[in-house]
Amino acid sequence: MTLFLALCFVGVAIAGFSAFVIFWPLTLVHIRDRHPALADRFGPGAFLRPDALRWLLGRDYRGTPDRSLSGLATPAWLSLLTLLAGLGMAALLWLLSMVMT
């Protein structure tokens, strides 16, 4: 049963990844088009750059007075949290199953 729940959390992580792949590139395109200073800070190919992901996880986009940016970055933030939480819970349940057997 524990491994089944771990597999369910992997499914949750996949759903988070799917949403992240949709909203994060849209956020980055919006940044490139409307916020050149921020785009220069991230550099080219910012999709998996640690600085850009730290900016997203820290919710630093709220400091920019652009409601469109906030409207794109908030779902990207939620999906990244879902991805990380799903993988984390799956790993914890897998470790729990290893200890229990």
Side-chain angles (χ1 to χ4, degrees), residues 17-41:
F17 176 74
S18 298
F20 181 74
V21 168
I22 292 169
F23 284 104
W24 185 229
L26 291 174
T27 304
L28 291 173
V29 167
H30 182 80
I31 288 170
R32 183 195 67 200
D33 292 345
R34 305 243 173 117
H35 304 281
L38 192 56
D40 289 340
R41 178 179 149 199

Side-chain angles (χ1 to χ4, degrees), residues 64-78:
T64 306
D66 183 358
R67 293 180 62 175
S68 297
L69 177 61
S70 210
L72 288 169
T74 300
W77 172 73
L78 283 172

